[in-house]
CSV table of all heavy atoms in Angstrom, one decimal:
chain,number,residue,atom,x,y,z
A,1,GLY,N,-6.2,19.5,7.1
A,1,GLY,CA,-7.4,19.1,7.8
A,1,GLY,C,-8.4,18.4,6.9
A,1,GLY,O,-9.4,17.8,7.3
A,2,GLY,N,-8.1,18.4,5.6
A,2,GLY,CA,-9.0,17.8,4.6
A,2,GLY,C,-8.8,16.3,4.5
A,2,GLY,O,-7.9,15.7,5.2
A,3,SER,N,-9.5,15.7,3.5
A,3,SER,CA,-9.4,14.2,3.4
A,3,SER,C,-9.3,13.9,1.9
A,3,SER,O,-9.8,14.6,1.0
A,3,SER,CB,-10.7,13.5,3.9
A,3,SER,OG,-10.8,13.7,5.3
A,4,LEU,N,-8.7,12.7,1.6
A,4,LEU,CA,-8.6,12.1,0.3
A,4,LEU,C,-8.7,10.6,0.5
A,4,LEU,O,-8.3,10.1,1.5
A,4,LEU,CB,-7.3,12.5,-0.4
A,4,LEU,CG,-7.1,13.9,-1.0
A,4,LEU,CD1,-5.7,14.0,-1.5
A,4,LEU,CD2,-8.1,14.1,-2.1
A,5,ARG,N,-9.2,10.0,-0.6
A,5,ARG,CA,-9.2,8.5,-0.6
A,5,ARG,C,-8.5,8.0,-1.8
A,5,ARG,O,-8.9,8.3,-3.0
A,5,ARG,CB,-10.6,8.0,-0.6
A,5,ARG,CG,-10.7,6.5,-0.4
A,5,ARG,CD,-12.1,6.0,-0.6
A,5,ARG,NE,-12.3,4.6,-0.1
A,5,ARG,CZ,-13.2,3.7,-0.6
A,5,ARG,NH1,-14.0,4.1,-1.6
A,5,ARG,NH2,-13.3,2.5,0.0
A,6,LEU,N,-7.4,7.3,-1.6
A,6,LEU,CA,-6.7,6.7,-2.7
A,6,LEU,C,-7.2,5.3,-3.0
A,6,LEU,O,-7.5,4.5,-2.1
A,6,LEU,CB,-5.2,6.6,-2.4
A,6,LEU,CG,-4.5,8.0,-2.0
A,6,LEU,CD1,-3.0,7.8,-1.8
A,6,LEU,CD2,-4.8,9.1,-3.0
A,7,SER,N,-7.2,4.9,-4.3
A,7,SER,CA,-7.5,3.6,-4.7
A,7,SER,C,-6.4,3.0,-5.6
A,7,SER,O,-5.8,3.7,-6.3
A,7,SER,CB,-8.9,3.6,-5.5
A,7,SER,OG,-9.9,4.0,-4.7
A,8,CYS,N,-6.3,1.7,-5.5
A,8,CYS,CA,-5.3,1.0,-6.3
A,8,CYS,C,-5.8,-0.3,-6.7
A,8,CYS,O,-6.1,-1.2,-5.9
A,8,CYS,CB,-4.0,0.8,-5.5
A,8,CYS,SG,-2.7,-0.2,-6.4
A,9,ALA,N,-6.1,-0.5,-8.0
A,9,ALA,CA,-6.7,-1.7,-8.5
A,9,ALA,C,-5.7,-2.5,-9.3
A,9,ALA,O,-5.1,-2.0,-10.2
A,9,ALA,CB,-7.9,-1.4,-9.4
A,10,ALA,N,-5.6,-3.8,-9.0
A,10,ALA,CA,-4.7,-4.7,-9.7
A,10,ALA,C,-5.5,-5.5,-10.8
A,10,ALA,O,-6.6,-5.9,-10.5
A,10,ALA,CB,-4.0,-5.7,-8.7
A,11,SER,N,-4.9,-5.7,-11.9
A,11,SER,CA,-5.5,-6.5,-13.0
A,11,SER,C,-4.5,-7.3,-13.7
A,11,SER,O,-3.3,-6.9,-13.7
A,11,SER,CB,-6.3,-5.6,-13.9
A,11,SER,OG,-5.4,-4.7,-14.6
A,12,GLY,N,-4.9,-8.3,-14.4
A,12,GLY,CA,-4.0,-9.1,-15.2
A,12,GLY,C,-4.1,-10.6,-14.8
A,12,GLY,O,-5.1,-11.0,-14.3
A,13,SER,N,-3.1,-11.3,-15.1
A,13,SER,CA,-3.1,-12.7,-14.9
A,13,SER,C,-2.7,-13.0,-13.4
A,13,SER,O,-1.5,-13.4,-13.2
A,13,SER,CB,-2.1,-13.4,-15.9
A,13,SER,OG,-2.5,-13.2,-17.2
A,14,ILE,N,-3.6,-12.8,-12.6
A,14,ILE,CA,-3.4,-12.9,-11.1
A,14,ILE,C,-3.9,-14.3,-10.6
A,14,ILE,O,-5.1,-14.6,-10.7
A,14,ILE,CB,-4.1,-11.8,-10.4
A,14,ILE,CG1,-3.5,-10.4,-10.8
A,14,ILE,CG2,-3.9,-11.9,-8.9
A,14,ILE,CD1,-4.3,-9.2,-10.3
A,15,PHE,N,-3.0,-15.0,-10.0
A,15,PHE,CA,-3.4,-16.2,-9.3
A,15,PHE,C,-3.9,-16.0,-7.9
A,15,PHE,O,-4.9,-16.4,-7.5
A,15,PHE,CB,-2.3,-17.3,-9.4
A,15,PHE,CG,-2.6,-18.6,-8.7
A,15,PHE,CD1,-3.3,-19.5,-9.4
A,15,PHE,CD2,-2.2,-18.8,-7.4
A,15,PHE,CE1,-3.7,-20.7,-8.8
A,15,PHE,CE2,-2.6,-20.0,-6.8
A,15,PHE,CZ,-3.3,-21.0,-7.5
A,16,SER,N,-3.1,-15.2,-7.2
A,16,SER,CA,-3.4,-14.8,-5.8
A,16,SER,C,-2.6,-13.6,-5.4
A,16,SER,O,-1.5,-13.4,-5.8
A,16,SER,CB,-3.1,-16.0,-4.9
A,16,SER,OG,-3.4,-15.7,-3.6
A,17,ILE,N,-3.3,-12.7,-4.7
A,17,ILE,CA,-2.7,-11.5,-4.1
A,17,ILE,C,-2.5,-11.7,-2.6
A,17,ILE,O,-3.4,-12.1,-1.9
A,17,ILE,CB,-3.5,-10.2,-4.4
A,17,ILE,CG1,-3.6,-10.0,-5.9
A,17,ILE,CG2,-2.8,-9.0,-3.7
A,17,ILE,CD1,-4.5,-8.8,-6.2
A,18,TYR,N,-1.3,-11.5,-2.2
A,18,TYR,CA,-1.0,-11.6,-0.8
A,18,TYR,C,-1.0,-10.2,-0.1
A,18,TYR,O,-2.1,-9.6,-0.1
A,18,TYR,CB,0.4,-12.3,-0.6
A,18,TYR,CG,0.3,-13.8,-1.1
A,18,TYR,CD1,0.5,-14.1,-2.4
A,18,TYR,CD2,0.0,-14.8,-0.2
A,18,TYR,CE1,0.4,-15.4,-2.9
A,18,TYR,CE2,-0.2,-16.1,-0.7
A,18,TYR,CZ,0.1,-16.4,-2.0
A,18,TYR,OH,0.0,-17.7,-2.5
A,19,GLY,N,0.1,-9.7,0.4
A,19,GLY,CA,0.1,-8.4,1.0
A,19,GLY,C,-0.1,-7.3,0.0
A,19,GLY,O,0.3,-7.4,-1.2
A,20,MET,N,-0.7,-6.2,0.4
A,20,MET,CA,-0.8,-5.0,-0.4
A,20,MET,C,-0.6,-3.8,0.6
A,20,MET,O,-0.6,-3.9,1.8
A,20,MET,CB,-2.2,-4.8,-1.0
A,20,MET,CG,-2.7,-6.0,-1.8
A,20,MET,SD,-4.4,-5.8,-2.5
A,20,MET,CE,-4.0,-4.7,-3.9
A,21,GLY,N,-0.3,-2.7,0.0
A,21,GLY,CA,0.0,-1.5,0.8
A,21,GLY,C,0.4,-0.3,0.1
A,21,GLY,O,0.3,-0.2,-1.2
A,22,TRP,N,0.9,0.7,0.8
A,22,TRP,CA,1.2,2.0,0.3
A,22,TRP,C,2.5,2.5,0.8
A,22,TRP,O,2.8,2.4,2.0
A,22,TRP,CB,0.1,3.0,0.7
A,22,TRP,CG,-1.2,2.7,0.1
A,22,TRP,CD1,-2.2,1.9,0.7
A,22,TRP,CD2,-1.8,3.2,-1.1
A,22,TRP,NE1,-3.3,1.9,-0.2
A,22,TRP,CE2,-3.1,2.7,-1.3
A,22,TRP,CE3,-1.3,4.0,-2.1
A,22,TRP,CZ2,-3.9,2.9,-2.4
A,22,TRP,CZ3,-2.1,4.3,-3.2
A,22,TRP,CH2,-3.4,3.7,-3.3
A,23,TYR,N,3.3,3.1,-0.1
A,23,TYR,CA,4.5,3.8,0.3
A,23,TYR,C,4.3,5.3,-0.2
A,23,TYR,O,3.4,5.6,-1.0
A,23,TYR,CB,5.8,3.3,-0.5
A,23,TYR,CG,6.4,2.1,0.1
A,23,TYR,CD1,5.9,0.8,-0.1
A,23,TYR,CD2,7.5,2.2,0.9
A,23,TYR,CE1,6.5,-0.3,0.4
A,23,TYR,CE2,8.1,1.1,1.5
A,23,TYR,CZ,7.6,-0.2,1.2
A,23,TYR,OH,8.3,-1.3,1.7
A,24,ARG,N,5.1,6.2,0.4
A,24,ARG,CA,5.1,7.5,-0.1
A,24,ARG,C,6.5,8.1,-0.1
A,24,ARG,O,7.4,7.6,0.6
A,24,ARG,CB,4.2,8.4,0.7
A,24,ARG,CG,4.7,8.7,2.1
A,24,ARG,CD,3.6,9.5,2.9
A,24,ARG,NE,4.0,9.7,4.3
A,24,ARG,CZ,3.3,10.3,5.2
A,24,ARG,NH1,2.0,10.7,4.9
A,24,ARG,NH2,3.7,10.5,6.4
A,25,GLN,N,6.8,9.0,-1.0
A,25,GLN,CA,8.1,9.7,-1.1
A,25,GLN,C,7.9,11.2,-1.4
A,25,GLN,O,7.3,11.5,-2.4
A,25,GLN,CB,8.9,9.0,-2.2
A,25,GLN,CG,10.4,9.5,-2.2
A,25,GLN,CD,11.3,8.6,-2.9
A,25,GLN,OE1,10.9,7.9,-3.9
A,25,GLN,NE2,12.6,8.6,-2.5
A,26,ALA,N,8.5,12.0,-0.5
A,26,ALA,CA,8.5,13.4,-0.7
A,26,ALA,C,9.8,13.8,-1.2
A,26,ALA,O,10.8,13.2,-0.9
A,26,ALA,CB,8.1,14.1,0.7
A,27,PRO,N,9.9,15.0,-1.9
A,27,PRO,CA,11.2,15.5,-2.4
A,27,PRO,C,12.2,15.6,-1.2
A,27,PRO,O,11.9,16.2,-0.2
A,27,PRO,CB,10.9,16.8,-3.0
A,27,PRO,CG,9.4,16.7,-3.4
A,27,PRO,CD,8.8,15.8,-2.3
A,28,GLY,N,13.4,15.1,-1.4
A,28,GLY,CA,14.4,15.2,-0.4
A,28,GLY,C,14.3,14.3,0.8
A,28,GLY,O,15.1,14.4,1.7
A,29,LYS,N,13.3,13.4,0.8
A,29,LYS,CA,13.2,12.5,1.9
A,29,LYS,C,13.2,11.0,1.4
A,29,LYS,O,13.0,10.7,0.2
A,29,LYS,CB,11.8,12.7,2.6
A,29,LYS,CG,11.7,14.0,3.3
A,29,LYS,CD,10.4,14.1,4.0
A,29,LYS,CE,10.3,15.4,4.8
A,29,LYS,NZ,9.1,15.5,5.6
A,30,GLN,N,13.5,10.1,2.3
A,30,GLN,CA,13.5,8.7,1.9
A,30,GLN,C,12.1,8.2,1.7
A,30,GLN,O,11.1,8.7,2.3
A,30,GLN,CB,14.2,7.9,3.1
A,30,GLN,CG,15.7,8.2,3.2
A,30,GLN,CD,16.3,7.3,4.3
A,30,GLN,OE1,15.7,7.0,5.3
A,30,GLN,NE2,17.5,7.0,4.1
A,31,ARG,N,11.9,7.1,1.0
A,31,ARG,CA,10.7,6.5,0.8
A,31,ARG,C,10.2,5.9,2.1
A,31,ARG,O,11.0,5.2,2.8
A,31,ARG,CB,10.7,5.5,-0.3
A,31,ARG,CG,9.4,4.9,-0.7
A,31,ARG,CD,9.4,4.0,-1.9
A,31,ARG,NE,10.3,2.8,-1.7
A,31,ARG,CZ,10.5,1.8,-2.6
A,31,ARG,NH1,9.8,1.9,-3.7
A,31,ARG,NH2,11.3,0.9,-2.3
A,32,GLU,N,8.9,6.1,2.4
A,32,GLU,CA,8.4,5.7,3.7
A,32,GLU,C,7.2,4.7,3.5
A,32,GLU,O,6.3,5.0,2.7
A,32,GLU,CB,7.9,6.9,4.5
A,32,GLU,CG,7.2,6.6,5.8
A,32,GLU,CD,6.6,7.9,6.4
A,32,GLU,OE1,6.3,8.8,5.7
A,32,GLU,OE2,6.3,7.8,7.7
A,33,LEU,N,7.3,3.6,4.2
A,33,LEU,CA,6.1,2.7,4.2
A,33,LEU,C,5.0,3.3,5.1
A,33,LEU,O,5.2,3.6,6.3
A,33,LEU,CB,6.6,1.4,4.8
A,33,LEU,CG,5.5,0.3,4.8
A,33,LEU,CD1,5.0,-0.1,3.4
A,33,LEU,CD2,6.1,-1.0,5.5
A,34,VAL,N,3.9,3.5,4.5
A,34,VAL,CA,2.7,4.1,5.1
A,34,VAL,C,1.8,3.1,5.8
A,34,VAL,O,1.5,3.3,7.0
A,34,VAL,CB,1.9,5.0,4.1
A,34,VAL,CG1,0.7,5.6,4.8
A,34,VAL,CG2,2.8,6.0,3.5
A,35,ALA,N,1.4,2.1,5.1
A,35,ALA,CA,0.5,1.1,5.6
A,35,ALA,C,0.5,-0.1,4.8
A,35,ALA,O,0.8,-0.1,3.6
A,35,ALA,CB,-1.0,1.7,5.6
A,36,THR,N,0.3,-1.3,5.5
A,36,THR,CA,0.2,-2.6,4.9
A,36,THR,C,-1.0,-3.3,5.3
A,36,THR,O,-1.5,-3.1,6.4
A,36,THR,CB,1.5,-3.4,5.2
A,36,THR,OG1,1.6,-3.7,6.6
A,36,THR,CG2,2.7,-2.7,4.7
A,37,ILE,N,-1.5,-4.2,4.5
A,37,ILE,CA,-2.6,-5.1,4.8
A,37,ILE,C,-2.3,-6.4,4.2
A,37,ILE,O,-2.0,-6.5,3.0
A,37,ILE,CB,-3.9,-4.5,4.4
A,37,ILE,CG1,-5.1,-5.4,4.9
A,37,ILE,CG2,-4.0,-4.2,2.9
A,37,ILE,CD1,-6.4,-4.8,4.8
A,38,THR,N,-2.3,-7.5,4.9
A,38,THR,CA,-2.1,-8.8,4.4
A,38,THR,C,-3.4,-9.4,3.8
A,38,THR,O,-4.5,-8.8,3.9
A,38,THR,CB,-1.6,-9.8,5.5
A,38,THR,OG1,-2.7,-10.0,6.4
A,38,THR,CG2,-0.5,-9.2,6.3
A,39,GLY,N,-3.2,-10.5,3.1
A,39,GLY,CA,-4.4,-11.2,2.5
A,39,GLY,C,-5.4,-11.6,3.6
A,39,GLY,O,-6.6,-11.7,3.3
A,40,GLY,N,-5.0,-11.8,4.8
A,40,GLY,CA,-5.9,-12.2,5.9
A,40,GLY,C,-6.4,-11.0,6.6
A,40,GLY,O,-7.2,-11.2,7.6
A,41,GLY,N,-6.0,-9.8,6.2
A,41,GLY,CA,-6.6,-8.6,6.8
A,41,GLY,C,-5.8,-8.0,8.0
A,41,GLY,O,-6.3,-7.0,8.6
A,42,ARG,N,-4.6,-8.5,8.2
A,42,ARG,CA,-3.7,-7.9,9.3
A,42,ARG,C,-3.2,-6.6,8.8
A,42,ARG,O,-2.6,-6.5,7.7
A,42,ARG,CB,-2.6,-8.8,9.7
A,42,ARG,CG,-3.1,-10.1,10.3
A,42,ARG,CD,-2.0,-11.0,10.7
A,42,ARG,NE,-2.4,-12.3,11.2
A,42,ARG,CZ,-2.8,-12.6,12.4
A,42,ARG,NH1,-2.7,-11.6,13.4
A,42,ARG,NH2,-3.2,-13.8,12.8
A,43,ILE,N,-3.2,-5.5,9.6
A,43,ILE,CA,-2.9,-4.2,9.2
A,43,ILE,C,-1.8,-3.6,10.1
A,43,ILE,O,-1.8,-3.8,11.3
A,43,ILE,CB,-4.1,-3.3,9.3
A,43,ILE,CG1,-5.2,-3.7,8.3
A,43,ILE,CG2,-3.8,-1.8,9.1
A,43,ILE,CD1,-6.5,-3.1,8.4
A,44,ASN,N,-0.9,-2.8,9.5
A,44,ASN,CA,0.1,-2.1,10.2
A,44,ASN,C,0.2,-0.7,9.6
A,44,ASN,O,0.1,-0.5,8.3
A,44,ASN,CB,1.5,-2.8,10.1
A,44,ASN,CG,1.6,-3.9,11.1
A,44,ASN,OD1,1.6,-3.7,12.3
A,44,ASN,ND2,1.6,-5.1,10.5
C-alpha cells in the first residue's frame, strides 16, 4: 500500500534520447517491461 519514486538520470556524450522506460525482474520470473515513454511523451 505504500509508495516509492524511482529516478534514472542519463549522462555522458548524448546527442539525443529517444524512448526511455523501466523493466523489472523478480527471482524465478522472466524480466517484465513495466512502462515506456517516447521522446514525444507517448506512454504505455
